[in-house]
């Protein structure tokens, strides 16, 4: 069995998002919905969904070009087309009668061996397949995507007793390797895994907030980063999901869970929530929710609702000693604190983690599946059992006992042993249901740097970066500064890599397992140097960067960069210096230096010019590449996917994309090894640049932007310097190509002129303080 084509039935938010993500992976997909009762366009619902997605932010499509893979239609006229597809995804209303009625129609037209699945988040498979024929049941399973399907990596799979093994095998492999999903196999129980625990956690947190009299700001401050949850915490997360969804999920779980399930005891009337929903306060998609943005004196002010009165007031920033303690001591220090934040944290975590421990093996076969579901589906940094280990399994169990609370048998076993996870002989192990420890298994083709680190010491290391032997003669360079920014210490490790790999290894991969590849240069270091007038220090850092990036480009071995998340400024420039890039699909790449008032100076201008000029899809001549680079760099454009990075020229046509983050390092290593045989480093480039006439053309366009109010005073200063670099300066002539050393020198000089200006210093300081660019 294989999957080359697909169809999605239901063009609502989830169905359309699933279709878009299939298209992102290059899969041709039919998107069908009912024929609307009004109007002449019978495909209006599906076409409207595609149109909305093309305008949405965050974008469901990784590139607008991906939309061509989605064909809109309706289930009256186009049902027969389903006979040609390999996988049909049903994403219609959460009503078993509606779904089964649709299944009967699908069963009549689908081909033998095609897979059919439901995206239900609440209905059990046994109910969906009730009285359905054997042929249908053999090819049917639940594929529970999380919203938004492009960005949330979790895919929960539920099979029935009649589901053919090859159906699960085929879909698991496809979802993993092609769609980039993290697969969790769930049992056919209410809410499956992530929503069973996640809904309990949210409900518990809301109840404890109300009963303890906390503000929503206090609750979110505690139940966010201090416990390894995104800063949205609880109430901001509910705003994001939609408040009107809460009663529906609650009713569904309550109807399907046993009467003695602990969730039932958490159910409470919430009159304020009902009132907010009735008045259109449904969260971010409505007029606001627990939080809202309100205009006050012309400024948009974030306000929070008072859970007692229902009134809104400016959101406060809580100051809780327990939260401060967690910054030093983690979750254990948080729950040990006796202030209201610590007591709230313990109340919520003791119930939630105890509930999770009591649910295995009911909801899933093992502990890692549950932890994986919560990490990938709710963005928790630690799964429930990992979090119990952070608190100390024995301490956690002992405190539950002291408070007269039940200790689940699985937790009793972990408390009497070494916790749920341990490291033995360089391998991570987990406690199985029977209490024995077993190795944590990775899928075939998965290589994690975190596992490599368990097995040995780095080849070289300092406070900013490390080198690791990842096998087969390949070395991995890992930055580990804040946001993996580049600083002189990172440069020292790169220099060591050039020496070590050159002598004893075959190739180098640049990669890390942080949230972001690299946010660029260390601005804080540059600002410090500027404040004390240490201009030679800044110029030396620029020169070092040029030297080390050029050395990477000329290394006698292949260098492959493997970004995920942000790759900005100097992080983008290191991609441009590599022989090849193996990019995670969710790579956000850009030369954003203009936003802080400088120009790319570690080879970014030179490399982007070179790539754009060599692109066979672009017009020839000295000006097209210059104009494209000027627009991309000057506007600080950031590609919002690896595919957009190719369109902007940050990645080449031959650079490859990996959808599954867990497979990125293995793919990058394979790419590096494929380049070893007969490897020759690239020769220095020469650039044909237009000189003064080209700069005059760019200046004309820039004046027009300024006149329209689209460019600020300092934008004009920065853009003028950028134009000078990109056009080659006053002496350039497109008939006499410039060596790359000349362009690098111009980058460095323009950077140093700009970094001394008050406008640039103000931009850098503002970015460091707020994380946002200053338009001065």
């Amino acid at each position: 069995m294989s999957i080359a084509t697909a169809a999605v039935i239901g063009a609502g938010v989830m169905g359309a998002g699933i279709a878009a993500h299939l298209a992102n992976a290059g899969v041709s997909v039919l998107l069908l919905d009912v024929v609307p009762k009004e109007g002449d366009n019978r495909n209006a619902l599906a076409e409207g969904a595609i149109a909305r997605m093309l305008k949405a932010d965050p974008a469901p499509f990784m590139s607008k070009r991906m939309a061509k893979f989605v064909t809109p239609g309706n289930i009256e006229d186009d049902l027969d087309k389903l006979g040609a597809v390999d996988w049909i995804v049903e994403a219609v209303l959460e009503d078993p009668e509606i779904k089964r009625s649709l299944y009967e129609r699908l069963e009549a037209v689908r081909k033998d061996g095609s897979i059919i699945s439901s995206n239900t988040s609440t209905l059990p498979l046994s109910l969906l397949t009730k009285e359905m024929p054997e042929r249908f049941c053999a090819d049917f399973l639940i594929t529970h995507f999380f919203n938004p399907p492009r960005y949330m990596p979790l895919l929960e799979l539920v099979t029935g007793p009649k589901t053919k093994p090859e159906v699960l095998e085929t879909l698991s492999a496809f979802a993993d390797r092609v769609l980039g999903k993290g697969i969790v196999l769930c049992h056919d129980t209410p809410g499956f895994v992530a929503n069973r625990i996640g809904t309990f956690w949210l409900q518990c947190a809301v109840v404890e907030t109300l009963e303890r009299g906390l503000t929503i700001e206090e609750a979110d401050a505690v139940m966010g980063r201090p416990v390894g949850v995104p800063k949205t915490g609880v109430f901001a997360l509910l705003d994001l999901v939609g408040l009107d969804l809460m009663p529906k999920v609650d009713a569904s779980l309550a109807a399907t869970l046993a009467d003695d399930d602990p969730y039932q005891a958490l159910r409470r009337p919430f009159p304020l929530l009902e009132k907010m929903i009735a008045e259109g306060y449904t969260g971010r998609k409505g007029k606001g929710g627990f939080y809202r943005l309100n205009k006050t004196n012309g400024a948009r002010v974030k306000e929070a609702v008072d859970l007692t009165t229902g009134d809104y007031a400016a959101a406060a920033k809580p100051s809780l000693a327990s939260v401060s303690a967690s910054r030093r001591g983690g979750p254990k220090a948080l729950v040990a604190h006796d202030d209201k934040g610590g007591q709230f944290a313990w109340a919520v975590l003791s119930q939630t983690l105890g509930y999770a421990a009591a649910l295995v093996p009911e909801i899933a076969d093992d502990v890692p599946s549950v932890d994986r579901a919560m990490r990938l589906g709710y963005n928790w940094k630690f799964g429930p059992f990992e979090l119990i280990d952070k608190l100390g399994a024995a301490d956690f169990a002992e405190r539950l006992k002291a408070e007269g609370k039940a200790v689940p048998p699985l937790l009793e076993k972990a408390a009497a042993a070494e916790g749920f996870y341990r490291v033995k002989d360089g391998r991570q192990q987990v406690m199985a249901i029977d209490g024995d420890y077993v190795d944590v298994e990775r899928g075939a083709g998965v290589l994690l740097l975190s596992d490599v680190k368990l097995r040995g010491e780095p080849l070289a290391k300092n406070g900013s970066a490390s080198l690791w032997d990842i096998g087969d003669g390949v070395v991995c360079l890992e930055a580990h500064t804040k946001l993996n920014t580049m600083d002189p210490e990172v440069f020292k490790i790169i220099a060591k890599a050039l020496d070590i790999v050159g002598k004893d290894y075959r190739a180098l991969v640049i990669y890390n397992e942080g949230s972001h590849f690299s946010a660029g240069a260390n601005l804080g270091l540059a600002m410090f140097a500027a404040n004390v007038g240490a201009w030679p220090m800044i110029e030396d850092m620029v020169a070092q960067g040029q030297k080390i990036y050029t050395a990477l480009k000329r290394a006698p071995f292949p260098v492959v960069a493997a970004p995920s998340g942000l790759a900005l400024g100097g992080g983008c420039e290191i991609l441009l210096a590599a022989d090849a890039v193996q990019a995670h699909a969710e790579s956000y790449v850009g030369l954003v230096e203009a936003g802080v008032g400088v120009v790319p100076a570690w080879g970014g201008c030179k490399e982007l010019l070179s790539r754009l000029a060599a692109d066979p899809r672009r017009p020839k001549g000295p000006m097209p590449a210059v104009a494209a680079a000027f627009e991309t760099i000057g506007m600080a454009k950031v590609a919002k996917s690896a595919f957009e990075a190719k369109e902007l020229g940050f990645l080449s046509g031959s650079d490859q994309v990996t959808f599954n983050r867990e497979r990125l390092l293995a793919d990058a290593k394979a790419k590096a090894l494929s380049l070893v045989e007969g490897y020759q480093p690239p020769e220095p480039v020469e650039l044909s640049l237009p000189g003064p006439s080209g700069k005059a053309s760019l200046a004309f366009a820039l004046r027009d932007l300024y006149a329209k109010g689209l460019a600020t005073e300092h934008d004009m200063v920065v853009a003028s310097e950028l134009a000078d670099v990109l056009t080659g300066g006053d002496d350039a002539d497109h008939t006499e190509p410039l060596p790359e050393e000349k362009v690098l020198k111009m980058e460095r000089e323009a950077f140093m002129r700009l970094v001394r200006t008050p406008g640039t210093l103000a931009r850098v300081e503002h970015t460091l303080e707020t994380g946002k660019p200053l338009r001065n």
Side-chain angles (χ1 to χ4, degrees):
M1 298 176 70
S2 63
I3 297 174
T5 56
V8 179
I9 316 298
V13 172
M14 282 302 298
I18 293 167
H21 194 55
L22 285 161
N24 290 334
V27 177
S28 294
V29 55
L30 289 169
L31 178 60
L32 308 184
D33 210 309
V34 297
V35 176
K37 294 179 180 179
E38 299 178 356
D40 297 328
N41 184 355
R42 295 172 66 82
N43 298 338
L45 295 180
E47 290 179 5
I50 295 169
R52 286 191 296 274
M53 289 193 295
L54 285 169
K55 297 176 182 177
D57 186 19
F61 289 112
M62 291 183 177
S63 165
K64 292 185 187 298
R65 297 180 183 183
M66 303 300 188
K68 68 184 179 183
F69 290 109
V70 184
T71 301
N74 67 80
I75 59 173
E76 300 300 327
D77 304 328
D78 302 306
L79 207 63
D80 287 347
K81 294 178 181 177
L82 299 181
V85 305
D86 303 315
W87 176 25
I88 303 169
V89 185
E90 168 269 302
V92 302
L93 293 174
E94 289 286 83
D95 183 318
E97 294 301 323
I98 291 175
K99 289 180 185 288
R100 283 200 298 266
S101 176
L102 174 63
Y103 296 161
E104 291 173 2
R105 299 180 65 188
L106 299 178
E107 180 66 2
V109 296
R110 72 184 185 92
K111 67 181 180 179
D112 287 338
S114 65
I115 297 171
I116 185 165
S117 70
S118 174
N119 184 56
T120 181
S121 59
T122 59
L123 299 174
L125 184 143
S126 57
L127 180 62
L128 296 177
T129 56
K130 185 179 180 182
E131 298 180 0
M132 292 301 296
E134 292 283 333
R135 176 177 181 264
F136 176 88
C137 295
D139 293 328
F140 182 82
L141 73 166
I142 287 172
T143 50
H144 180 209
F145 288 83
F146 277 64
N147 191 34
R150 169 185 165 181
Y151 299 97
M152 296 303 293
L154 177 61
L155 179 64
E156 292 183 325
L157 298 182
V158 182
T159 59
K162 297 180 181 179
T163 307
K164 292 184 295 191
E166 56 265 35
V167 167
L168 177 61
E169 181 182 336
T170 298
L171 195 52
S172 295
F174 177 83
D176 171 358
R177 296 175 181 272
V178 179
L179 299 182
K181 294 300 176 185
I183 306 297
V184 171
L185 303 181
C186 310
H187 296 165
D188 193 17
T189 56
F192 311 130
V193 174
N195 281 346
R196 178 77 174 271
I197 296 170
T199 303
F200 183 98
W201 165 66
L202 290 169
Q203 184 77 8
C204 182
V206 170
V207 167
E208 292 294 341
T209 301
L210 289 166
E211 295 186 350
R212 293 172 182 274
L214 272 70
T215 67
I216 64 170
E217 301 100 303
E218 289 172 333
D220 284 348
V222 173
M223 203 50 55
R225 286 176 173 167
V227 294
V229 170
K231 65 179 181 180
T232 49
V234 174
F235 292 94
L237 175 60
L238 291 171
D239 279 354
L240 181 63
V241 172
L243 303 194
D244 53 335
L245 190 62
M246 287 179 64
K248 296 175 183 177
V249 173
D250 172 60
S252 176
L253 271 179
T256 52
L257 290 172
D259 291 342
D260 61 351
D261 189 276
Y263 179 82
Q264 305 283 17
L266 289 174
R267 303 187 71 216
R268 303 279 194 285
F270 196 170
L272 175 60
L273 178 65
E274 295 173 10
K275 179 175 181 288
M276 291 171 68
I277 294 171
E279 294 176 354
Y281 285 92
T282 55
R284 293 192 189 181
K285 65 183 179 182
K287 296 189 295 184
F290 292 110
Y291 297 95
R292 72 178 184 184
L293 289 175
N294 195 24
K295 279 192 174 180
T296 303
N297 299 324
R300 291 170 69 85
V301 177
K302 183 179 180 180
E303 296 182 336
V305 75
D306 185 309
L307 294 174
T308 303
T309 66
D311 297 328
Y312 284 92
K317 188 173 183 179
S319 177
L320 294 167
S322 54
V323 172
S324 298
S326 73
R327 297 190 188 107
R328 299 182 299 275
K332 191 166 188 175
L334 177 72
V335 301
H337 207 282
D338 62 0
D339 74 353
K340 61 182 177 180
Q343 293 174 26
F344 169 70
W346 170 253
V348 175
L349 291 181
S350 62
Q351 294 178 75
T352 302
L353 302 183
Y355 186 62
L359 288 176
V360 178
E362 176 191 342
I363 60 174
D365 287 336
D366 52 45
V367 161
S369 293
V370 175
D371 282 341
R372 181 176 175 82
M374 295 310 295
R375 289 197 311 269
L376 300 182
Y378 277 75
N379 280 330
W380 286 15
K381 186 175 182 181
F382 312 108
F385 298 98
E386 293 167 319
L387 197 48
I388 289 174
D389 278 358
K390 291 286 179 185
L391 299 175
D395 292 342
F396 183 70
E398 190 60 37
R399 187 168 174 182
L400 289 178
K401 287 179 184 176
E403 295 177 355
K405 297 175 182 175
V407 178
L410 193 63
L411 177 57
E412 286 272 21
K413 292 176 184 176
E418 300 175 60
F420 286 103
Y421 292 92
R422 72 179 186 184
V423 175
K424 186 174 183 180
D425 300 328
R427 295 289 302 269
Q428 186 182 39
Q429 294 188 327
V430 64
M431 196 183 74
I433 305 301
D434 61 6
D436 291 336
Y437 286 93
V438 296
D439 288 344
V440 174
E441 298 296 334
R442 308 295 182 197
V446 172
L447 174 62
L448 300 182
L449 192 57
S450 56
D451 288 343
V452 172
K453 292 178 179 181
L454 297 177
R455 296 196 290 266
E457 296 297 317
L459 301 174
K461 181 178 182 178
N462 61 24
S464 296
S466 304
L467 295 177
W468 299 92
D469 183 342
I470 57 173
D472 300 311
V474 181
V475 171
C476 178
L477 167 67
E478 172 204 26
H480 38 71
T481 52
K482 183 178 181 180
L483 290 177
N484 299 315
T485 52
M486 299 293 167
D487 64 19
E489 292 301 297
V490 175
F491 294 161
K492 288 179 181 178
I493 294 296
I494 296 176
K496 283 186 176 292
L498 291 167
D499 180 54
I500 291 171
V501 179
K503 289 179 180 177
D504 301 314
Y505 292 85
R506 305 167 71 193
L508 177 68
V509 168
I510 304 171
Y511 163 92
N512 64 71
E513 285 171 1
S515 298
H516 300 293
F517 179 74
S518 174
N522 186 329
L523 286 179
L525 184 61
M527 193 68 199
F528 169 78
N531 284 336
V532 299
W535 305 113
M537 177 181 171
I538 296 177
E539 186 163 14
D540 182 60
M541 187 172 173
V542 175
Q544 278 188 55
Q546 289 189 346
K547 180 180 178 182
I548 205 75
Y549 281 27
T550 300
L552 273 176
K553 195 166 187 68
R554 303 283 175 259
F557 49 80
V559 176
V560 174
S564 179
L566 297 178
L568 304 178
C572 174
E573 286 173 302
I574 208 166
L575 305 186
L576 295 171
D579 292 293
V581 176
Q582 184 75 42
H584 183 230
E586 298 297 347
S587 293
Y588 314 126
V589 186
L591 294 170
V592 296
E593 286 85 351
V596 291
V598 292
V599 300
W602 288 342
C605 296
K606 178 259 296 184
E607 285 296 331
L608 186 59
L609 278 172
S610 177
R611 285 177 179 236
L612 293 172
D615 188 342
R617 300 167 298 178
R618 298 179 184 273
K620 297 304 174 188
M623 203 57 202
V626 168
F630 183 71
E631 179 181 345
T632 297
I633 298 173
M635 295 180 68
K637 287 186 176 182
V638 175
K640 295 182 180 179
S641 73
F643 297 100
E644 283 192 3
K646 287 194 174 194
E647 293 167 10
L648 290 174
F650 297 130
L651 303 185
S652 71
S654 60
D655 287 333
Q656 296 175 337
V657 178
T658 296
F659 271 71
N660 193 321
R661 180 69 172 81
E662 293 181 343
R663 297 185 177 278
L664 183 58
L665 180 56
D667 288 351
K669 176 183 171 182
K671 180 64 177 178
L673 289 171
S674 75
L675 299 175
V676 169
E677 187 69 29
Y679 176 76
Q680 292 293 326
E683 295 292 331
V685 298
E686 291 187 330
L687 298 168
S688 295
L689 303 179
S693 62
K695 185 176 181 180
S697 176
L698 296 178
F700 179 81
L702 190 59
R703 284 194 298 272
D704 184 55
L705 290 173
Y706 182 71
K708 293 177 179 177
L710 300 176
T712 67
E713 290 283 351
H714 200 58
D715 286 338
M716 299 292 286
V717 175
V718 177
S720 178
E721 291 282 4
L722 176 62
D724 198 50
V725 174
L726 294 177
T727 57
D730 293 338
D731 299 328
D733 183 330
H734 72 88
T735 62
E736 298 179 8
L738 288 179
E740 62 178 37
E741 291 83 1
K742 169 71 172 174
V743 183
L744 285 170
K745 183 172 183 289
M746 293 181 68
E747 285 184 13
R748 188 168 65 249
E749 292 172 347
F751 184 99
M752 291 308 301
R753 285 192 294 270
L754 285 168
V755 81
R756 294 171 183 263
T757 63
T760 290
L761 292 173
R763 286 191 177 189
V764 173
E765 186 171 8
H766 185 269
T767 300
L768 286 170
E769 289 179 355
T770 68
K772 299 176 181 178
L774 173 67
R775 298 300 308 279
N776 58 341

